[in-house]
Amino acid sequence: MKKQVGIWMNTDKAVLVSLMNGKEEKIQTIESDVETRSHNPREMKPGSRTGSILIDVDKKMTQRKTHQLHNYFEKVIHSIASDTGEIFIFGPANTKKHFEKELKKHAPFQTMKLELESADKMTQPQMIARIKNHFVKNGNHKS
């Protein structure tokens, strides 16, 4: 049987729980370097001129955050074992949806069974229980 991986994620961190035959095998936390602040008070207002160049600070901040998210997602993707058969992604906000798009850009994950679900902030034992319940409830675990 292939591994099942549950991932709880938001922009701060991702918690990966690998299961083999319904039992915990590995728990890994990956911290993100994504900056969450929207405006640096030391920077000028959006659209300010610096010399003869017009700088759009908001655009620069958005590009920076996009690049940081990409690096964070790559770290998570490289932490998923190659023998994984199913992935369950859950968490608050839209980070999980952006991660799904990034995941599908990689060939090994394009045909893999992948499910998304919204969830609030949780403790690690709650995350593990949610992942186990998800795979058992959906008939994806054989005892």
Side-chain angles (χ1 to χ4, degrees), residues 1-141:
M1 178 180 200
K2 290 195 173 207
K3 284 186 184 176
Q4 299 165 320
V5 175
I7 304 170
W8 181 92
M9 80 176 350
N10 65 9
T11 53
D12 296 331
K13 68 179 179 179
V15 178
L16 285 79
V17 179
S18 299
L19 301 176
M20 181 60 97
N21 296 324
K23 301 206 185 315
E24 292 170 46
E25 185 176 81
K26 182 179 171 187
I27 299 171
Q28 184 178 5
T29 301
I30 299 171
E31 298 291 329
S32 120
D33 295 328
V34 178
E35 296 173 1
T36 54
R37 70 179 199 281
S38 60
H39 179 69
N40 184 343
R42 291 178 289 153
E43 294 174 342
M44 295 175 249
K45 61 184 176 183
S48 297
R49 284 203 179 269
T50 303
S52 62
I53 302 171
L54 182 65
I55 297 175
D56 187 349
V57 177
D58 287 340
K59 183 177 178 183
K60 190 173 182 181
M61 294 289 282
T62 301
Q63 289 173 341
R64 181 178 176 148
K65 187 172 181 176
T66 301
H67 182 69
Q68 290 170 343
L69 271 173
H70 174 75
N71 289 340
Y72 169 49
F73 292 157
E74 286 296 319
K75 280 196 272 184
V76 175
I77 289 168
H78 291 296
S79 298
I80 299 171
S82 60
D83 61 341
T84 299
E86 301 174 56
I87 299 176
F88 169 53
I89 306 166
F90 63 113
N94 289 322
T95 307
K96 61 190 168 294
K97 293 176 186 173
H98 297 300
F99 178 68
E100 178 188 26
K101 287 179 186 175
E102 194 70 30
L103 195 62
K104 288 185 176 183
K105 292 179 184 176
H106 293 76
F109 302 106
Q110 289 175 350
T111 58
M112 191 177 294
K113 184 174 180 182
L114 186 64
E115 295 181 59
L116 268 70
E117 197 174 289
S118 292
D120 292 329
K121 198 168 189 175
M122 301 180 168
T123 64
Q124 190 166 315
Q126 289 172 325
M127 291 175 202
I128 294 167
R130 178 83 172 255
I131 291 165
K132 285 182 177 180
N133 287 340
H134 172 80
F135 287 120
V136 170
K137 179 180 79 173
N138 292 325
N140 300 329
H141 160 69

